[in-house]
Amino acid sequence: MTIIDNIKRSPTISLSEKIKDLKSKGIEVLSLSIGEPHFNTDKRIIEEAYNAMLEGDTHYVNSQGILKLREEIANKVKQENSIQALPSNIAVIPAKFAIYASLISLLEEGDEVMISNPCWVSYESQIMLARGKPVYYNLNDDYSIDFDDLVSKITNKTRAIIINSPHNPTGYVLTYNEVKQLVDIAKDYDIYLISDEIYEKFIYEGEHISPASLEFEHIITINGFSKAYAMTGWRLGYVVANDIIINKIVSFIDQTLTCMPPFIQRAALKCLQIGDSIYKYYRDEYRKNRDYVYKILSELSNIEVIKPKGTFYMFPKYNFQIDSLSFTESLLAKEKVAVVPGIAFGSKGEYHIRISFATSYDLLEKAMDRFTRFVRKFE
Ligand code: PMP
Ligand code: GLU
């Protein structure tokens, strides 16, 4: 039995493969499932990568990431997140892999890592891959953190708490006071906060607070270009952490990935140079989508929904007796609409579904019409 034998396929990734398969057979599926902006990457970013390749940026580069990009990221996190990091505190690596790299750098066998229930589908498996033990903390009814529950579950084996704001799947955005409380817990118990900030640019109300703006040593910040710049297939992100953690992560990159492709790093540099116009446009479009989906769901008597302040997900609860996997399978079979079953995000996600509204308004209207027809049958 190897570690990987206990690891299941990612439900979001396998569902998206299933949808692609159905589409290739000519079946029209309206997907509100996998979380990725429907926009194609801005042409200026693509041209930058293309030109970089033509200019010979096709060789191995520094495992930690090219210096110019790390300097720009240091500048970005200083200006936008009030994080005082040096380029040497940054490693360039896909966001998903950065979380695993952080875990493998932190954990001894059996160490505990706390994650919310519900939470993003890959944390639990990644903790297990790093030989750790996932421990779930509860969320309140409004999806804020239940701090009493969290603190009561800290033990002498706890090594880190993963937080994710804006939160996948609930869309919850942590307030300043909540972030401060988390930072104080990390300092008091001398444990790490792994702060996954991948949805930073999709906040509709409130503001994004990076815990590393309050305390640097105990915080590992994860971010990337996938969501903000519609670059999910480019696989590029970064991690910001203290010297000890970054040095371990760099050894890990050396011995596994070697380095991230230099032409992709040039494209990332271009994103930071272009600045906020790209994601502000995406965010404005998705705000309209959010308001629309919220309105439709609020009118359904058997659905309870909280308007998310961030991300591009909605996580409604339904009050009829069908498990979330059967719900989503039946919705797909009968109406050709794909959403993610809440159970994929943890036991507390049961009787919920996740709807991604990161798609075109037209597709959303069509999908929500079919969704409404499906749900009304349970009234
Ligand atoms: N964290 C969360 C909460 C996510 O939803 C995702 C999925 N994109 C990631 C990390 C990984 O991001 P990336 O695809 O950029 O590696
Ligand atoms: N994070 C996205 C999602 O939750 C993309 C797929 C994945 O990496 O899980 O749908």
Side-chain angles (χ1 to χ4, degrees):
M1 189 89 162
T2 67
I3 290 186
I4 205 83
D5 290 327
N6 287 321
I7 303 297
K8 293 189 280 292
R9 292 275 327 261
S10 156
T12 46
I13 305 293
S14 32
L15 182 57
S16 98
E17 287 177 7
K18 182 172 172 187
I19 295 161
K20 286 196 184 92
D21 188 44
L22 289 171
K23 283 185 178 166
S24 74
K25 292 181 180 134
I27 301 166
E28 189 219 14
V29 178
L30 303 180
S31 177
L32 309 180
S33 61
I34 195 160
E36 64 171 339
H38 74 294
F39 298 102
N40 288 329
T41 306
D42 187 286
K43 208 160 160 250
R44 289 165 293 178
I45 300 170
I46 296 174
E47 278 165 0
E48 184 69 15
Y50 178 67
N51 289 333
M53 280 190 266
L54 290 178
E55 286 161 20
D57 261 348
T58 53
H59 299 269
Y60 291 137
V61 284
N62 188 334
S63 337
Q64 190 166 355
I66 55 178
L67 182 59
K68 186 84 191 82
L69 177 58
R70 286 186 288 119
E71 282 170 352
E72 274 307 316
I73 294 171
N75 192 33
K76 182 263 174 211
V77 299
K78 186 172 173 194
Q79 302 298 330
E80 296 181 9
N81 308 99
S82 305
I83 301 175
Q84 307 298 328
L86 297 169
S88 57
N89 295 118
I90 292 160
V92 177
I93 174 172
K96 198 174 201 169
F97 209 54
I99 300 165
Y100 178 58
S102 306
L103 291 166
I104 205 149
S105 303
L106 281 180
L107 302 188
E108 290 180 18
E109 187 154 9
D111 278 350
E112 294 172 1
V113 179
M114 305 191 69
I115 47 180
S116 65
N117 187 359
C119 69
W120 178 45
V121 297
S122 290
Y123 296 142
E124 182 188 77
S125 293
Q126 293 205 355
I127 294 165
M128 284 156 64
L129 281 170
R131 301 172 308 136
K133 183 174 165 228
V135 174
Y136 280 99
Y137 58 89
N138 290 334
L139 300 179
N140 298 310
D141 288 345
D142 64 354
Y143 298 139
S144 59
I145 293 174
D146 179 341
F147 277 95
D148 290 338
D149 185 64
L150 183 142
V151 172
S152 74
K153 289 175 178 161
I154 297 177
T155 71
N156 58 7
K157 285 252 166 212
T158 307
R159 188 79 173 116
I161 304 171
I162 299 185
I163 56 167
N164 173 217
S165 177
H167 185 268
N168 179 3
T170 65
Y172 190 83
V173 176
L174 290 170
T175 62
Y176 175 85
N177 283 342
E178 289 166 325
V179 171
K180 169 97 176 51
Q181 232 174 308
L182 286 160
V183 168
D184 288 344
I185 290 170
K187 284 198 293 192
D188 289 351
Y189 289 90
D190 194 20
I191 56 182
Y192 278 89
L193 274 189
I194 301 178
S195 175
D196 179 349
E197 306 184 14
I198 194 82
Y199 297 101
E200 174 196 12
K201 297 303 178 197
F202 295 92
I203 295 191
Y204 312 102
E205 278 112 36
E207 60 170 328
H208 178 68
I209 311 288
S210 293
S213 62
L214 307 179
E215 218 279 326
F216 190 73
E217 279 307 305
H218 290 85
I219 320 293
I220 301 175
T221 306
I222 312 282
N223 209 331
F225 300 89
S226 292
K227 316 280 173 178
Y229 296 94
M231 290 174 75
T232 48
W234 297 64
R235 312 302 310 125
L236 202 71
Y238 54 89
V239 48
V240 186
N242 66 35
D243 291 339
I244 297 171
I245 300 293
I246 284 292
N247 288 339
K248 291 186 194 209
I249 291 178
V250 172
S251 303
F252 181 62
I253 297 174
D254 266 2
Q255 301 286 22
T256 54
L257 292 167
T258 303
C259 63
M260 294 307 293
F263 46 91
I264 292 188
Q265 297 194 51
R266 280 269 300 270
L269 195 52
K270 187 74 180 174
C271 295
L272 297 175
Q273 286 161 352
I274 296 174
D276 55 11
S277 58
I278 295 180
Y279 53 75
K280 277 192 173 152
Y281 172 69
Y282 300 160
R283 184 178 57 209
D284 290 346
E285 291 299 301
Y286 291 159
R287 184 197 304 278
K288 288 182 219 153
N289 289 1
R290 175 195 69 150
D291 293 347
Y292 168 69
V293 176
Y294 178 72
K295 181 174 166 293
I296 299 288
L297 294 179
S298 312
E299 285 162 2
L300 293 168
S301 63
N302 46 8
I303 298 260
E304 284 168 40
V305 61
I306 295 175
K307 197 176 195 175
K309 293 197 164 92
T311 70
F312 32 67
Y313 305 119
M314 224 167 277
F315 200 58
K317 184 174 191 297
Y318 54 89
N319 53 24
F320 38 94
Q321 287 305 312
I322 169 175
D323 64 75
S324 60
L325 191 60
S326 308
F327 179 121
T328 55
E329 283 176 353
S330 176
L331 178 67
L332 184 58
K334 295 201 173 106
E335 297 289 356
K336 305 287 177 290
V337 172
V339 299
V340 184
I343 193 72
F345 303 93
S347 60
K348 297 276 164 68
E350 189 51 295
Y351 301 114
H352 293 71
I353 49 154
R354 191 192 74 177
I355 297 176
S356 166
F357 51 83
T359 187
S360 72
Y361 198 85
D362 286 354
L363 188 147
L364 205 54
E365 274 185 323
K366 235 167 137 182
M368 292 312 292
D369 278 353
R370 295 187 194 180
F371 181 86
T372 303
R373 185 166 60 198
F374 178 80
V375 166
R376 286 238 152 99
K377 293 203 180 108
F378 294 92
E379 273 177 350

